[in-house]
Amino acid sequence: MKLKFLSFIALLTFQLSNAQYTDIVNSNRPSESMSAFAVGRTVIQLEGGFGFINEKDNTFAVNTLDYKANGVVADLNVRYGFFKEQLEAVLELSHQRDTQEFSDRDRSRNGLKVSTIGLKYLVYDPYKFYEENVNLYSWKANQKFKMSQLIPIVAVYGGMNLNFSNNKFLIGAEELAIISPKLMLITQNIFGEQLVFITNTFLDKIATEGQQLGYLLTLTKGFNERWSAFTEIKGLSNKFYKDNFISAGGAYLLLGNLQIDASISKSLKNSPSIMYGGIGLTWRSDTNYKDHLIKSPEKNKADKAKKEKKKKNNEKKMLDKLPKSNEKEE
């Protein structure tokens, strides 16, 4: 039984280190950060959630500007891998409906809070051609920290915000461009078989009045092949608004291609104070996926040399089969 478990750990390590596509669904949820890896070519993945949001702001001296709001939020991210294993297209949608309650009036808000489409590409994977030497007799030896784990996996993201309607959820929305760029740098470190650390550093709504600098730091721990938990810090800063958020939650793998999750988030400032809690679901379709063999540079060189040698041997055999010309007798 012990040997069987250690063999499973070895397989899990191989999946984490060497593949875009994995045997089980690999979701960004319930965190907000993007992982460095793509879902795999021809794979489509849906990550959605539903939750409740509460806002309260009592910082203004004028009571008519103080408010509280309660509402619901629905999120949907669509991820699709195409062309190369390292590339995926990402569609992000977030719809919010709430009611702001002021001392003298109420105001309803309803619409798309986020509508972004973009591409993510894995630039560098230090584990791509790396084979982990797994000790089948010592779990402790396999968990030992290695300096190579500090070298991050790196990906980049480029997308466009689509602001086709007056977004009531963004301060200064009336001054935002209909289309505005978003750029992101993604890093990911894998520490053993249980810990994954992800960073997202992004510049959003570039060259508009609402240009925003932000970051996400996410630490995920896997307890076994089904249960995992995360904690996350998020920071946002623009000319209208600055805040930091802390989040926590967990996920449970129901089936190989189906995951459920739950999370809660809280802003660190009170202007306004924002709290969100929700549940979600991730599902993927990989029926059209086929394994893609990626050879290392050394393997490609060896194969090329082997082909050249075989070609020369074939040419030599053909020359040997040609009839030799008779020499003239003097």
Side-chain angles (χ1 to χ4, degrees):
M1 188 67 184
K2 183 178 179 181
L3 184 62
K4 182 179 179 182
F5 175 74
L6 289 171
S7 299
F8 167 77
I9 293 296
L11 177 62
L12 181 62
T13 303
F14 178 80
Q15 290 176 343
L16 287 174
S17 301
N18 295 279
Q20 297 285 291
Y21 174 85
T22 55
D23 289 336
I24 58 176
V25 62
N26 186 8
S27 176
N28 288 328
R29 291 191 60 88
S31 69
E32 290 188 44
S33 61
M34 282 190 184
S35 67
F37 290 113
V39 291
R41 196 164 70 179
T42 72
V43 175
I44 184 168
Q45 186 160 303
L46 305 180
E47 303 175 0
F50 178 83
F52 296 90
I53 190 168
N54 173 268
E55 293 184 25
K56 185 183 295 185
D57 196 341
N58 298 321
T59 58
F60 295 101
V62 182
N63 291 332
T64 55
L65 295 179
D66 294 342
Y67 77 91
K68 61 180 180 179
N70 294 286
V72 293
V73 179
D75 301 309
L76 176 63
N77 290 355
V78 182
R79 302 168 62 188
Y80 179 70
F82 70 104
F83 185 58
K84 298 181 71 174
E85 282 290 287
Q86 300 93 328
L87 182 67
E88 77 172 26
V90 186
L91 173 65
E92 299 175 89
L93 300 173
S94 179
H95 185 276
Q96 183 169 326
R97 182 187 183 94
D98 66 18
T99 301
Q100 284 183 304
E101 299 178 7
F102 297 90
S103 60
D104 58 345
R105 70 190 188 283
D106 292 345
R107 183 177 71 165
S108 295
R109 298 184 297 182
N110 183 27
L112 279 176
K113 192 173 183 177
V114 176
S115 178
T116 308
I117 188 169
L119 297 174
K120 182 179 71 177
Y121 184 76
L122 180 71
V123 176
Y124 174 69
D125 180 5
Y127 299 99
K128 188 172 183 179
F129 304 116
Y130 175 75
E131 293 185 7
E132 181 73 35
N133 294 321
V134 179
N135 189 332
L136 296 178
Y137 301 98
S138 174
W139 181 86
K140 186 176 180 180
N142 293 322
Q143 297 300 309
K144 186 178 179 181
F145 174 78
K146 304 174 183 65
M147 290 299 294
S148 60
Q149 295 173 350
L150 295 176
I151 303 174
I153 304 157
V154 180
V156 292
Y157 169 89
M160 304 295 289
N161 295 288
L162 309 177
N163 187 37
F164 295 128
S165 61
N166 185 15
N167 194 328
K168 297 179 181 180
F169 299 100
L170 297 178
I171 300 174
E174 61 279 356
E175 300 178 8
L176 293 179
I178 294 176
I179 298 177
S180 59
K182 178 179 181 179
L183 298 175
M184 184 187 300
L185 175 66
I186 303 166
T187 68
Q188 181 168 332
N189 293 84
I190 301 172
F191 300 109
E193 287 86 37
Q194 294 182 326
L195 287 176
V196 177
F197 180 63
I198 294 174
T199 73
N200 290 179
T201 306
F202 57 90
L203 189 61
D204 200 4
K205 304 176 183 66
I206 299 172
T208 70
E209 285 294 315
Q211 181 170 294
Q212 180 171 259
L213 179 64
Y215 70 87
L216 285 157
L217 307 176
T218 307
L219 182 65
T220 302
K221 178 178 176 62
F223 298 102
N224 51 47
E225 63 268 28
R226 292 194 179 274
W227 285 101
S228 64
F230 86 100
T231 182
E232 182 174 85
I233 297 175
K234 176 182 178 181
L236 299 173
S237 177
N238 60 40
K239 65 183 293 185
F240 303 108
Y241 176 74
K242 293 182 181 181
D243 206 346
N244 292 280
F245 296 79
I246 186 167
S247 304
Y252 179 75
L253 185 69
L254 286 171
L255 301 169
N257 286 342
L258 190 64
Q259 173 191 287
I260 59 172
D261 62 73
S263 64
I264 187 168
S265 301
K266 177 72 172 64
S267 64
L268 300 184
K269 290 177 63 177
N270 293 320
S271 55
S273 171
I274 302 174
M275 180 173 284
Y276 170 84
I279 57 175
L281 184 73
T282 298
W283 171 85
R284 76 171 179 182
S285 174
D286 58 354
T287 54
N288 295 322
Y289 181 80
K290 294 181 180 179
D291 289 330
H292 299 276
L293 180 62
I294 303 175
K295 296 181 180 179
S296 66
E298 291 77 11
K299 180 66 175 175
N300 282 331
K301 288 179 182 178
D303 288 348
K304 187 175 181 181
K306 188 176 180 180
K307 287 180 181 179
E308 288 292 332
K309 185 178 180 180
K310 186 177 180 181
K311 182 179 178 182
K312 289 180 180 180
N313 289 336
N314 290 336
E315 290 177 352
K316 187 176 182 301
K317 288 179 181 179
M318 291 179 64
L319 290 174
D320 291 341
K321 290 181 180 180
L322 293 176
K324 296 181 179 180
S325 59
N326 296 323
E327 296 181 356
K328 293 181 179 181
E329 296 182 359
E330 293 184 359

